[in-house]
């Protein structure tokens, strides 16, 4: 439960981290004249606090692009990079999976398999899909057309509790 001063959603930015030290403290790099100045040392300590998260991100940058390791708020940004169609209300593990599989889903987009995989990702169950289309090949012209002349697509989900599903989704 959150208190009035807390938010349920984590902030969408990188910030300072309590107790995080910097691998490159500025105080030791100051010219000799400032090395003994208490005010100058305290001033650059404040800059060290601001710079420490930047060094932390840069040291771990490759992990930010691995869906299994990236911070939760960065996953939301990665979904926009890879074109994963999420609304942000999904559980974090589902969002991580969506980012990790986005390329393979784009590869089969518009196909029976692509629709099936997208629905399974959204609802957790494999759908039953029936459609009117078909494809064929013939060495002679004027062959029979495959499929139904009236187009249709029906996606059926068999879920344990239909009331628990998001009707909009």
């Amino acid at each position: 439960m959150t208190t009035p001063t807390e938010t349920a959603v984590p902030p969408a930015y990188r910030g300072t981290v309590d107790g995080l030290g910097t691998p490159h403290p500025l105080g030791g790099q100051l010219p000799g004249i400032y090395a003994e100045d208490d005010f100058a040392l305290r001033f650059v300590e404040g800059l060290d606090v601001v710079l420490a998260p930047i060094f932390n991100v840069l040291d771990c940058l490759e992990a930010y692009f691995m869906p299994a390791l990236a911070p939760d708020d960065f996953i939301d940004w990665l979904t926009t990079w890879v074109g994963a169609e999420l609304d942000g209300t999904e559980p974090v593990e589902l969002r991580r999976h969506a980012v990790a599989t986005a390329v393979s889903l784009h590869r089969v987009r518009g196909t029976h398999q692509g629709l099936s995989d997208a629905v399974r990702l959204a609802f957790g169950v494999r759908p039953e899909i029936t459609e009117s289309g078909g494809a064929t090949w013939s060495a002679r012209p004027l062959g029979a057309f495959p499929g139904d002349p009236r187009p249709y697509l029906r996606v059926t989900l068999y879920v344990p509790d239909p009331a628990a599903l998001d009707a909009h989704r």
Side-chain angles (χ1 to χ4, degrees), residues 54-72:
I54 295 171
F55 288 125
N56 187 37
V57 168
L58 291 176
D59 287 345
C60 305
L61 190 59
E62 69 278 357
Y64 278 73
F65 302 104
M66 296 179 188
L69 302 176
D72 295 348

Side-chain angles (χ1 to χ4, degrees), residues 6-95:
E6 295 176 330
T7 58
V9 179
Y13 57 84
R14 307 267 72 84
T16 59
V17 178
D18 291 335
L20 180 66
T22 178
H24 307 287
L26 296 175
Q29 299 176 21
L30 291 176
I33 192 168
Y34 297 110
E36 296 177 11
D37 184 354
D38 184 52
F39 174 76
L41 291 175
R42 285 185 289 128
F43 180 76
V44 295
E45 275 184 32
L47 294 175
D48 286 339
V49 170
V50 174
L51 292 175
I54 295 171
F55 288 125
N56 187 37
V57 168
L58 291 176
D59 287 345
C60 305
L61 190 59
E62 69 278 357
Y64 278 73
F65 302 104
M66 296 179 188
L69 302 176
D72 295 348
D73 60 325
F74 200 78
I75 285 291
D76 295 335
W77 196 26
L78 284 178
T79 61
T80 64
W81 286 15
V82 297
E85 297 174 4
L86 302 173
D87 60 11
T89 61
E90 299 84 0
V92 174
E93 291 309 314
L94 181 63
R95 287 183 276 161

